[in-house]
Amino acid sequence: MQHSKKKAAAVVTIAAFALTGCSAGGGDGTSSGDGAASCTPAGGDVTLEFTTWVPGMEDVVAIWNKENPDIQVKVQTGPNGNGGTYQNFFNQIKAGDAPDLGQIEYDALPNFLVQDGVEDLSACKDVVAAEGDFVDWAWGQVTLGTDGIYGVPQDTGPMALFYRADLFEQNGIAIPTTWDEYRTAAEQIRALGGYITNFSQSDINQFAGFAWQAGAQWFSSDDAGWDVTLTDDATTTVADFWQGMIDDDLVATVPAWTDEWNNAYNSGQVWTWNSAVWGANSISSGAPDTAGDWAVAPLPQWKAGDTAAGNWGGSSTAVLKGSDHLYEATKFALWLNTSDEAITALAEAANLYPATTAGLKLPVYADGVEFYGGQKIYDIFADAAVQVSPDFAWGPTMTQTYADVSDGFKAAVSGDGTLGDALKKGQEKTIDALKAASIPVTE
Protein backbone atom coordinates (compact mmCIF):
# COMPACT_ATOMS: atom_id res chain seq x y z
CA MET A 1 0.00 0.00 0.00
CA GLN A 2 1.39 3.39 -0.97
CA HIS A 3 0.65 6.57 0.97
CA SER A 4 0.86 9.82 -0.95
CA LYS A 5 2.71 12.85 0.33
CA LYS A 6 -0.50 14.84 0.41
CA LYS A 7 -1.97 12.72 3.14
CA ALA A 8 1.27 12.30 5.06
CA ALA A 9 1.43 13.58 8.59
CA ALA A 10 5.15 14.04 9.02
CA VAL A 11 7.10 14.10 5.75
CA VAL A 12 8.65 17.53 6.22
CA THR A 13 9.59 17.34 9.82
CA ILE A 14 11.14 13.91 9.71
CA ALA A 15 13.74 15.13 7.26
CA ALA A 16 14.88 17.75 9.71
CA PHE A 17 16.02 15.20 12.25
CA ALA A 18 18.69 13.39 10.21
CA LEU A 19 17.63 10.08 11.67
CA THR A 20 20.38 7.51 12.13
CA GLY A 21 21.34 5.49 9.09
CA CYS A 22 20.62 1.81 9.06
CA SER A 23 23.44 -0.68 9.15
CA ALA A 24 23.54 -3.26 6.41
CA GLY A 25 20.83 -5.77 7.15
CA GLY A 26 20.74 -9.51 6.92
CA GLY A 27 20.23 -12.51 9.10
CA ASP A 28 17.20 -13.43 11.13
CA GLY A 29 14.77 -10.56 11.51
CA THR A 30 16.85 -7.91 9.80
CA SER A 31 16.68 -5.83 6.66
CA SER A 32 18.14 -2.56 5.55
CA GLY A 33 16.48 0.78 4.86
CA ASP A 34 17.30 4.45 5.01
CA GLY A 35 16.50 6.22 8.27
CA ALA A 36 16.09 3.10 10.40
CA ALA A 37 18.24 1.77 13.21
CA SER A 38 19.80 -1.67 12.98
CA CYS A 39 17.43 -4.52 13.80
CA THR A 40 19.66 -7.37 14.96
CA PRO A 41 19.15 -9.90 17.76
CA ALA A 42 21.05 -9.17 20.95
CA GLY A 43 22.43 -12.71 21.12
CA GLY A 44 21.53 -13.27 24.75
CA ASP A 45 18.77 -12.89 27.30
CA VAL A 46 17.00 -9.54 27.18
CA THR A 47 14.61 -7.76 29.52
CA LEU A 48 12.36 -5.12 27.97
CA GLU A 49 10.44 -2.37 29.74
CA PHE A 50 6.93 -1.57 28.49
CA THR A 51 4.74 1.31 29.69
CA THR A 52 1.01 1.25 29.01
CA TRP A 53 -2.30 2.18 30.61
CA VAL A 54 -4.27 -0.86 29.39
CA PRO A 55 -5.82 -2.63 32.38
CA GLY A 56 -4.86 -6.26 32.71
CA MET A 57 -1.82 -5.92 30.46
CA GLU A 58 0.32 -7.67 33.09
CA ASP A 59 -1.70 -10.86 32.65
CA VAL A 60 -1.38 -10.71 28.87
CA VAL A 61 2.37 -10.13 29.04
CA ALA A 62 2.67 -13.03 31.48
CA ILE A 63 1.63 -15.32 28.61
CA TRP A 64 4.55 -14.00 26.53
CA ASN A 65 7.03 -14.23 29.39
CA LYS A 66 6.13 -17.86 30.02
CA GLU A 67 6.70 -18.75 26.37
CA ASN A 68 9.79 -16.56 25.81
CA PRO A 69 12.30 -16.95 28.65
CA ASP A 70 15.02 -15.24 26.58
CA ILE A 71 12.96 -12.05 26.05
CA GLN A 72 11.24 -11.00 29.24
CA VAL A 73 8.95 -7.97 29.41
CA LYS A 74 8.37 -5.86 32.51
CA VAL A 75 5.12 -3.89 32.45
CA GLN A 76 4.60 -0.51 34.03
CA THR A 77 1.07 0.89 34.01
CA GLY A 78 0.29 4.56 34.43
CA PRO A 79 -2.26 7.23 33.55
CA ASN A 80 -3.50 7.59 30.01
CA GLY A 81 -1.27 9.36 27.52
CA ASN A 82 -2.32 12.97 28.01
CA GLY A 83 -2.91 12.24 31.69
CA GLY A 84 0.84 12.14 32.27
CA THR A 85 2.37 9.19 30.46
CA TYR A 86 3.36 11.12 27.34
CA GLN A 87 5.11 13.82 29.33
CA ASN A 88 6.90 11.11 31.28
CA PHE A 89 8.02 9.58 27.99
CA PHE A 90 9.45 12.85 26.72
CA ASN A 91 11.25 13.46 30.02
CA GLN A 92 12.67 9.93 29.97
CA ILE A 93 13.74 10.17 26.34
CA LYS A 94 15.57 13.41 27.10
CA ALA A 95 17.27 11.82 30.10
CA GLY A 96 18.17 8.69 28.15
CA ASP A 97 16.22 6.28 30.37
CA ALA A 98 12.97 5.73 28.49
CA PRO A 99 11.33 2.30 28.47
CA ASP A 100 11.90 0.18 25.39
CA LEU A 101 8.25 0.17 24.44
CA GLY A 102 5.39 2.56 25.02
CA GLN A 103 1.72 2.80 24.19
CA ILE A 104 1.10 5.85 21.98
CA GLU A 105 -2.27 6.79 20.54
CA TYR A 106 -2.48 7.39 16.81
CA ASP A 107 -3.26 11.09 17.22
CA ALA A 108 -0.20 11.54 19.45
CA LEU A 109 2.29 9.64 17.30
CA PRO A 110 3.14 12.59 14.98
CA ASN A 111 4.13 14.62 18.03
CA PHE A 112 6.62 11.94 19.06
CA LEU A 113 7.89 11.72 15.53
CA VAL A 114 8.65 15.42 15.10
CA GLN A 115 10.44 15.37 18.46
CA ASP A 116 12.48 12.33 17.38
CA GLY A 117 11.02 10.27 20.20
CA VAL A 118 10.31 6.96 18.47
CA GLU A 119 12.43 4.48 16.56
CA ASP A 120 11.86 3.69 12.90
CA LEU A 121 10.99 -0.01 12.68
CA SER A 122 11.41 -0.36 8.92
CA ALA A 123 14.74 -2.19 9.32
CA CYS A 124 12.88 -5.11 10.90
CA LYS A 125 11.69 -7.35 8.08
CA ASP A 126 9.02 -9.01 10.21
CA VAL A 127 7.42 -5.62 10.86
CA VAL A 128 7.54 -4.71 7.18
CA ALA A 129 5.99 -8.06 6.28
CA ALA A 130 3.16 -7.52 8.78
CA GLU A 131 1.61 -4.64 6.82
CA GLY A 132 -0.91 -6.93 5.14
CA ASP A 133 -2.12 -8.20 8.52
CA PHE A 134 -3.64 -4.85 9.46
CA VAL A 135 -6.63 -2.89 8.22
CA ASP A 136 -5.11 -0.42 5.77
CA TRP A 137 -6.01 2.79 7.56
CA ALA A 138 -4.50 1.57 10.86
CA TRP A 139 -1.21 0.83 9.10
CA GLY A 140 -1.34 4.34 7.65
CA GLN A 141 -1.61 5.73 11.17
CA VAL A 142 1.83 4.31 12.07
CA THR A 143 3.59 4.96 8.77
CA LEU A 144 2.31 8.54 8.44
CA GLY A 145 2.78 8.60 4.68
CA THR A 146 6.54 8.04 4.89
CA ASP A 147 8.93 5.18 4.21
CA GLY A 148 9.33 4.70 7.95
CA ILE A 149 7.26 2.62 10.38
CA TYR A 150 6.90 4.20 13.79
CA GLY A 151 4.85 1.69 15.72
CA VAL A 152 2.78 -1.48 15.47
CA PRO A 153 -0.99 -0.84 15.40
CA GLN A 154 -2.54 -2.05 18.63
CA ASP A 155 -6.26 -1.33 18.63
CA THR A 156 -8.90 0.69 16.82
CA GLY A 157 -12.14 2.52 17.52
CA PRO A 158 -14.50 2.11 14.53
CA MET A 159 -17.76 3.96 15.13
CA ALA A 160 -21.39 2.87 14.95
CA LEU A 161 -24.78 3.95 16.29
CA PHE A 162 -25.79 2.69 19.74
CA TYR A 163 -29.55 3.14 20.16
CA ARG A 164 -32.41 2.31 22.53
CA ALA A 165 -34.15 -0.30 20.41
CA ASP A 166 -37.11 -0.50 22.79
CA LEU A 167 -37.84 3.24 22.69
CA PHE A 168 -37.54 3.48 18.91
CA GLU A 169 -39.88 0.50 18.48
CA GLN A 170 -42.43 1.63 21.08
CA ASN A 171 -42.73 5.04 19.46
CA GLY A 172 -42.67 3.91 15.84
CA ILE A 173 -39.51 5.85 14.98
CA ALA A 174 -37.36 4.42 12.20
CA ILE A 175 -33.71 3.70 12.92
CA PRO A 176 -31.86 6.43 10.99
CA THR A 177 -29.55 5.36 8.18
CA THR A 178 -28.61 8.89 7.05
CA TRP A 179 -27.84 12.07 8.93
CA ASP A 180 -30.97 13.68 7.47
CA GLU A 181 -33.01 10.82 8.94
CA TYR A 182 -31.12 11.27 12.20
CA ARG A 183 -32.24 14.91 12.32
CA THR A 184 -35.85 13.84 11.66
CA ALA A 185 -35.66 11.25 14.43
CA ALA A 186 -34.19 13.89 16.73
CA GLU A 187 -37.23 16.11 16.16
CA GLN A 188 -39.61 13.23 16.89
CA ILE A 189 -37.77 12.27 20.06
CA ARG A 190 -37.64 15.86 21.27
CA ALA A 191 -41.41 16.12 20.81
CA LEU A 192 -41.66 13.19 23.22
CA GLY A 193 -39.52 15.00 25.79
CA GLY A 194 -36.23 13.21 25.15
CA TYR A 195 -33.02 13.86 23.25
CA ILE A 196 -31.61 11.75 20.47
CA THR A 197 -28.07 12.15 21.79
CA ASN A 198 -25.70 14.23 23.85
CA PHE A 199 -23.28 16.59 22.13
CA SER A 200 -19.89 16.44 23.81
CA GLN A 201 -18.64 19.93 24.51
CA SER A 202 -15.34 18.93 26.08
CA ASP A 203 -14.04 15.96 24.09
CA ILE A 204 -13.81 16.73 20.37
CA ASN A 205 -12.49 13.28 19.46
CA GLN A 206 -16.04 12.21 18.65
CA PHE A 207 -16.42 15.20 16.34
CA ALA A 208 -13.11 14.28 14.72
CA GLY A 209 -14.57 10.83 14.04
CA PHE A 210 -17.58 12.44 12.35
CA ALA A 211 -15.28 14.59 10.22
CA TRP A 212 -13.18 11.55 9.36
CA GLN A 213 -16.29 9.73 8.17
CA ALA A 214 -17.30 12.73 6.05
CA GLY A 215 -13.96 12.74 4.22
CA ALA A 216 -12.15 15.54 6.07
CA GLN A 217 -8.37 15.87 5.96
CA TRP A 218 -7.26 18.11 8.82
CA PHE A 219 -3.50 17.77 8.34
CA SER A 220 -1.17 17.04 5.46
CA SER A 221 2.36 17.98 4.51
CA ASP A 222 4.69 18.15 1.57
CA ASP A 223 8.19 19.48 1.01
CA ALA A 224 6.99 23.06 1.62
CA GLY A 225 5.53 22.44 5.06
CA TRP A 226 2.37 21.50 6.91
CA ASP A 227 -1.14 22.32 5.76
CA VAL A 228 -3.75 22.71 8.50
CA THR A 229 -7.38 22.60 7.41
CA LEU A 230 -9.89 22.24 10.23
CA THR A 231 -12.43 24.15 8.16
CA ASP A 232 -12.52 22.13 4.94
CA ASP A 233 -15.86 21.44 3.25
CA ALA A 234 -16.36 18.06 4.89
CA THR A 235 -15.70 19.38 8.39
CA THR A 236 -17.88 22.43 7.77
CA THR A 237 -20.75 20.15 6.73
CA VAL A 238 -20.42 18.22 9.98
CA ALA A 239 -20.13 21.40 12.07
CA ASP A 240 -23.19 22.97 10.43
CA PHE A 241 -25.22 19.82 11.06
CA TRP A 242 -24.44 19.69 14.76
CA GLN A 243 -24.74 23.46 15.16
CA GLY A 244 -28.28 23.19 13.84
CA MET A 245 -29.02 20.43 16.33
CA ILE A 246 -27.71 22.61 19.16
CA ASP A 247 -29.56 25.73 17.99
CA ASP A 248 -32.86 23.85 17.82
CA ASP A 249 -32.44 22.16 21.22
CA LEU A 250 -32.39 18.69 19.67
CA VAL A 251 -29.41 17.43 21.67
CA ALA A 252 -28.50 17.32 25.33
CA THR A 253 -25.24 19.04 26.25
CA VAL A 254 -24.29 17.60 29.64
CA PRO A 255 -20.55 17.10 30.29
CA ALA A 256 -19.40 13.72 29.05
CA TRP A 257 -18.06 11.02 31.36
CA THR A 258 -19.92 12.37 34.40
CA ASP A 259 -22.68 11.06 36.68
CA GLU A 260 -25.03 13.46 34.90
CA TRP A 261 -24.08 11.90 31.57
CA ASN A 262 -24.60 8.37 32.90
CA ASN A 263 -27.98 9.32 34.34
CA ALA A 264 -29.12 10.82 31.04
CA TYR A 265 -28.63 7.43 29.40
CA ASN A 266 -29.72 5.30 32.34
CA SER A 267 -32.99 7.23 32.69
CA GLY A 268 -33.90 7.14 29.00
CA GLN A 269 -33.57 10.88 28.57
CA VAL A 270 -31.02 10.28 25.80
CA TRP A 271 -31.71 7.58 23.20
CA THR A 272 -28.57 7.15 21.10
CA TRP A 273 -24.82 7.54 21.11
CA ASN A 274 -22.65 7.60 18.00
CA SER A 275 -19.52 6.07 19.46
CA ALA A 276 -16.62 3.72 18.98
CA VAL A 277 -16.63 0.02 19.69
CA TRP A 278 -15.33 0.63 23.21
CA GLY A 279 -18.51 2.63 23.89
CA ALA A 280 -20.34 -0.66 24.37
CA ASN A 281 -18.79 -0.92 27.82
CA SER A 282 -19.32 2.76 28.63
CA ILE A 283 -23.07 2.34 28.13
CA SER A 284 -23.36 -0.96 29.98
CA SER A 285 -21.46 0.40 32.99
CA GLY A 286 -23.11 3.84 32.97
CA ALA A 287 -26.68 2.76 32.25
CA PRO A 288 -27.11 -0.63 33.98
CA ASP A 289 -30.89 -0.26 34.33
CA THR A 290 -31.27 -0.38 30.54
CA ALA A 291 -29.72 -3.83 30.04
CA GLY A 292 -31.28 -5.63 27.10
CA ASP A 293 -32.79 -2.46 25.63
CA TRP A 294 -29.91 -1.37 23.42
CA ALA A 295 -28.85 -2.34 19.91
CA VAL A 296 -26.17 -1.27 17.43
CA ALA A 297 -26.53 -0.12 13.82
CA PRO A 298 -24.10 1.33 11.28
CA LEU A 299 -23.24 5.01 11.62
CA PRO A 300 -25.70 7.23 9.68
CA GLN A 301 -24.40 8.26 6.26
CA TRP A 302 -24.22 11.63 4.54
CA LYS A 303 -25.54 10.04 1.36
CA ALA A 304 -28.02 7.18 1.26
CA GLY A 305 -26.32 3.94 0.30
CA ASP A 306 -22.83 4.98 1.34
CA THR A 307 -20.81 2.81 3.74
CA ALA A 308 -18.27 5.18 5.28
CA ALA A 309 -17.25 4.84 8.91
CA GLY A 310 -15.40 7.08 11.31
CA ASN A 311 -12.87 6.13 13.94
CA TRP A 312 -12.58 7.33 17.53
CA GLY A 313 -9.48 6.20 19.38
CA GLY A 314 -6.82 3.56 18.98
CA SER A 315 -3.18 3.16 19.91
CA SER A 316 0.12 1.80 18.68
CA THR A 317 2.91 -0.03 20.44
CA ALA A 318 6.00 2.03 19.66
CA VAL A 319 9.69 1.52 20.38
CA LEU A 320 10.90 4.64 22.16
CA LYS A 321 14.07 6.40 21.11
CA GLY A 322 17.21 4.97 22.60
CA SER A 323 16.16 1.35 23.02
CA ASP A 324 19.08 -1.03 22.51
CA HIS A 325 16.77 -3.90 21.64
CA LEU A 326 14.89 -3.02 18.48
CA TYR A 327 14.69 -6.61 17.27
CA GLU A 328 13.39 -8.02 20.55
CA ALA A 329 11.01 -5.10 21.12
CA THR A 330 9.41 -5.47 17.70
CA LYS A 331 9.15 -9.23 18.11
CA PHE A 332 7.13 -8.70 21.28
CA ALA A 333 5.04 -5.85 19.78
CA LEU A 334 4.09 -8.02 16.81
CA TRP A 335 3.08 -10.91 19.08
CA LEU A 336 1.04 -8.58 21.28
CA ASN A 337 -0.90 -7.10 18.39
CA THR A 338 -1.14 -9.88 15.79
CA SER A 339 -1.27 -13.23 17.55
CA ASP A 340 -4.70 -14.75 18.16
CA GLU A 341 -3.61 -15.61 21.70
CA ALA A 342 -2.68 -12.06 22.66
CA ILE A 343 -5.58 -10.36 20.88
CA THR A 344 -8.05 -12.67 22.61
CA ALA A 345 -6.41 -12.02 25.97
CA LEU A 346 -6.50 -8.24 25.39
CA ALA A 347 -10.17 -8.45 24.48
CA GLU A 348 -10.97 -10.40 27.63
CA ALA A 349 -8.82 -8.25 29.92
CA ALA A 350 -9.46 -4.76 28.55
CA ASN A 351 -12.05 -5.00 25.76
CA LEU A 352 -9.53 -3.80 23.17
CA TYR A 353 -10.66 -4.06 19.56
CA PRO A 354 -7.96 -5.33 17.19
CA ALA A 355 -6.27 -3.57 14.29
CA THR A 356 -5.72 -6.79 12.31
CA THR A 357 -8.18 -8.13 9.79
CA ALA A 358 -7.85 -11.66 11.19
CA GLY A 359 -8.45 -10.37 14.70
CA LEU A 360 -11.87 -9.05 13.71
CA LYS A 361 -12.99 -12.64 13.09
CA LEU A 362 -11.79 -14.22 16.33
CA PRO A 363 -14.30 -16.23 18.40
CA VAL A 364 -14.03 -13.75 21.28
CA TYR A 365 -16.01 -11.28 19.13
CA ALA A 366 -18.47 -13.79 17.68
CA ASP A 367 -21.06 -14.18 20.43
CA GLY A 368 -24.13 -12.10 21.07
CA VAL A 369 -23.91 -9.58 23.91
CA GLU A 370 -26.60 -9.90 26.56
CA PHE A 371 -26.71 -6.17 27.36
CA TYR A 372 -27.52 -5.53 23.70
CA GLY A 373 -30.40 -8.01 23.58
CA GLY A 374 -28.13 -10.82 22.48
CA GLN A 375 -27.15 -9.00 19.28
CA LYS A 376 -23.80 -9.89 17.76
CA ILE A 377 -22.75 -6.27 17.91
CA TYR A 378 -19.14 -6.89 16.89
CA ASP A 379 -20.32 -7.90 13.42
CA ILE A 380 -21.34 -4.26 12.94
CA PHE A 381 -17.95 -3.01 14.10
CA ALA A 382 -16.07 -5.56 11.98
CA ASP A 383 -17.77 -4.05 8.92
CA ALA A 384 -17.06 -0.51 10.10
CA ALA A 385 -13.40 -1.31 10.77
CA VAL A 386 -12.71 -1.79 7.06
CA GLN A 387 -14.85 1.20 6.01
CA VAL A 388 -12.64 3.85 7.63
CA SER A 389 -10.79 6.08 5.18
CA PRO A 390 -6.98 5.73 5.15
CA ASP A 391 -6.60 9.39 4.15
CA PHE A 392 -7.15 11.04 7.54
CA ALA A 393 -3.97 12.21 9.28
CA TRP A 394 -3.19 13.87 12.59
CA GLY A 395 -0.88 16.80 13.28
CA PRO A 396 2.00 17.14 15.73
CA THR A 397 0.21 19.46 18.18
CA MET A 398 -3.05 17.61 18.78
CA THR A 399 -3.18 18.25 22.53
CA GLN A 400 -3.08 21.97 21.82
CA THR A 401 -5.54 21.65 18.95
CA TYR A 402 -8.00 19.66 21.05
CA ALA A 403 -7.83 22.17 23.89
CA ASP A 404 -8.38 25.19 21.63
CA VAL A 405 -11.30 23.65 19.74
CA SER A 406 -12.84 22.31 22.94
CA ASP A 407 -12.87 25.81 24.44
CA GLY A 408 -14.75 27.00 21.37
CA PHE A 409 -17.20 24.10 21.51
CA LYS A 410 -18.06 24.92 25.12
CA ALA A 411 -18.71 28.52 24.09
CA ALA A 412 -20.89 27.39 21.17
CA VAL A 413 -23.01 25.19 23.44
CA SER A 414 -23.65 28.20 25.69
CA GLY A 415 -24.61 30.33 22.69
CA ASP A 416 -21.39 32.33 22.50
CA GLY A 417 -20.20 31.62 18.98
CA THR A 418 -20.56 28.55 16.76
CA LEU A 419 -18.80 25.28 16.15
CA GLY A 420 -17.50 26.78 12.92
CA ASP A 421 -16.00 29.68 14.87
CA ALA A 422 -14.33 27.20 17.21
CA LEU A 423 -12.78 25.28 14.35
CA LYS A 424 -11.54 28.45 12.66
CA LYS A 425 -9.93 29.66 15.87
CA GLY A 426 -8.49 26.20 16.53
CA GLN A 427 -6.95 26.21 13.07
CA GLU A 428 -5.39 29.62 13.61
CA LYS A 429 -3.95 28.65 16.98
CA THR A 430 -2.64 25.35 15.62
CA ILE A 431 -0.78 27.21 12.88
CA ASP A 432 0.63 29.59 15.49
CA ALA A 433 1.76 26.62 17.61
CA LEU A 434 3.52 25.01 14.66
CA LYS A 435 5.31 28.23 13.84
CA ALA A 436 6.33 28.66 17.46
CA ALA A 437 7.89 25.21 17.31
CA SER A 438 9.74 26.19 14.11
CA ILE A 439 7.75 23.66 12.08
CA PRO A 440 7.18 24.88 8.49
CA VAL A 441 3.58 25.77 7.61
CA THR A 442 1.99 26.37 4.26
CA GLU A 443 -0.72 29.05 4.16
Side-chain angles (χ1 to χ4, degrees):
M1 179 179 61
Q2 297 296 317
H3 296 278
S4 67
K5 279 187 176 181
K6 189 59 183 174
K7 70 182 181 183
V11 174
V12 176
T13 49
I14 294 172
F17 283 109
L19 297 178
T20 58
C22 174
S23 62
D28 185 22
T30 69
S31 67
S32 61
D34 292 339
S38 176
C39 189
T40 56
D45 292 347
V46 168
T47 298
L48 303 172
E49 295 180 347
F50 175 33
T51 298
T52 178
W53 55 88
V54 173
M57 183 62 80
E58 298 92 339
D59 295 333
V60 180
V61 172
I63 300 172
W64 165 272
N65 285 339
K66 183 177 180 180
E67 299 174 354
N68 296 272
D70 56 331
I71 306 175
Q72 293 290 284
V73 179
K74 290 184 177 179
V75 178
Q76 178 181 353
T77 57
N80 64 36
N82 287 321
T85 291
Y86 292 156
Q87 188 57 56
N88 288 340
F89 283 165
F90 284 122
N91 292 341
Q92 291 165 338
I93 291 167
K94 185 177 180 180
D97 62 355
D100 298 277
L101 297 131
Q103 179 180 349
I104 301 178
E105 293 158 296
Y106 299 134
D107 57 1
L109 194 55
N111 189 17
F112 279 83
L113 191 54
V114 300
Q115 297 194 52
D116 198 21
V118 288
E119 295 284 359
D120 180 358
L121 312 182
S122 62
C124 301
K125 70 178 182 182
D126 289 342
V127 177
V128 175
E131 175 180 356
D133 294 339
F134 296 93
V135 292
D136 60 353
W137 69 266
W139 188 256
Q141 295 288 296
V142 299
T143 55
L144 305 167
T146 74
D147 293 329
I149 305 170
Y150 300 98
V152 176
Q154 175 176 286
D155 64 310
T156 61
M159 297 175 70
L161 173 67
F162 295 92
Y163 67 95
R164 282 288 299 271
D166 60 328
L167 296 179
F168 274 86
E169 182 177 359
Q170 291 168 15
N171 292 283
I173 300 175
I175 309 306
T177 61
T178 68
W179 288 111
D180 284 342
E181 292 175 358
Y182 193 79
R183 163 87 192 202
T184 298
E187 293 169 349
Q188 295 172 304
I189 293 169
R190 193 71 192 100
L192 295 170
Y195 289 103
I196 193 168
T197 195
N198 184 75
F199 181 81
S200 178
Q201 56 184 291
S202 57
D203 184 347
I204 74 160
N205 297 72
Q206 180 194 43
F207 183 90
F210 292 148
W212 194 335
Q213 182 209 22
Q217 294 189 36
W218 284 2
F219 294 88
S220 63
S221 64
D222 57 24
D223 293 338
W226 285 76
D227 182 61
V228 183
T229 314
L230 305 186
T231 57
D232 62 4
D233 290 344
T235 306
T236 298
T237 295
V238 175
D240 289 347
F241 175 84
W242 288 104
Q243 186 63 54
M245 298 279 275
I246 294 169
D247 290 344
D248 295 337
D249 189 33
L250 297 178
V251 292
T253 55
V254 300
W257 323 119
T258 62
D259 289 342
E260 186 179 8
W261 187 88
N262 288 335
N263 183 64
Y265 282 94
N266 197 39
S267 66
Q269 180 188 20
V270 177
W271 292 24
T272 79
W273 189 29
N274 297 284
S275 188
V277 58
W278 46 260
N281 298 297
S282 298
I283 295 175
S284 61
S285 62
D289 295 342
T290 62
D293 295 334
W294 288 85
V296 180
L299 206 62
Q301 300 293 311
W302 289 105
K303 182 180 179 181
D306 283 354
T307 57
N311 182 76
W312 180 2
S315 299
S316 67
T317 305
V319 180
L320 299 184
K321 203 69 177 181
S323 173
D324 294 325
H325 304 296
L326 191 63
Y327 172 80
E328 291 79 11
T330 55
K331 187 175 181 180
F332 166 74
L334 285 170
W335 172 85
L336 181 68
N337 298 310
T338 64
S339 74
D340 291 353
E341 182 179 37
I343 291 173
T344 299
L346 286 169
E348 293 173 343
N351 299 300
L352 292 193
Y353 199 65
T356 62
T357 53
L360 301 175
K361 303 173 185 177
L362 287 175
V364 71
Y365 301 110
D367 294 337
V369 181
E370 183 177 355
F371 187 88
Y372 294 90
Q375 181 187 3
K376 295 181 178 181
I377 65 171
Y378 294 108
D379 290 350
I380 301 294
F381 291 105
D383 289 340
V386 297
Q387 295 168 349
V388 177
S389 168
D391 294 340
F392 191 86
W394 302 105
T397 58
M398 290 312 302
T399 300
Q400 175 78 35
T401 300
Y402 286 150
D404 290 334
V405 176
S406 178
D407 288 344
F409 275 19
K410 291 175 184 176
V413 165
S414 66
D416 184 13
T418 67
L419 302 180
D421 294 336
L423 291 161
K424 182 179 180 181
K425 185 171 291 186
Q427 177 173 303
E428 293 170 350
K429 290 191 173 183
T430 296
I431 291 172
D432 289 344
L434 291 171
K435 290 180 177 178
S438 299
I439 298 174
V441 178
T442 59
E443 295 186 75

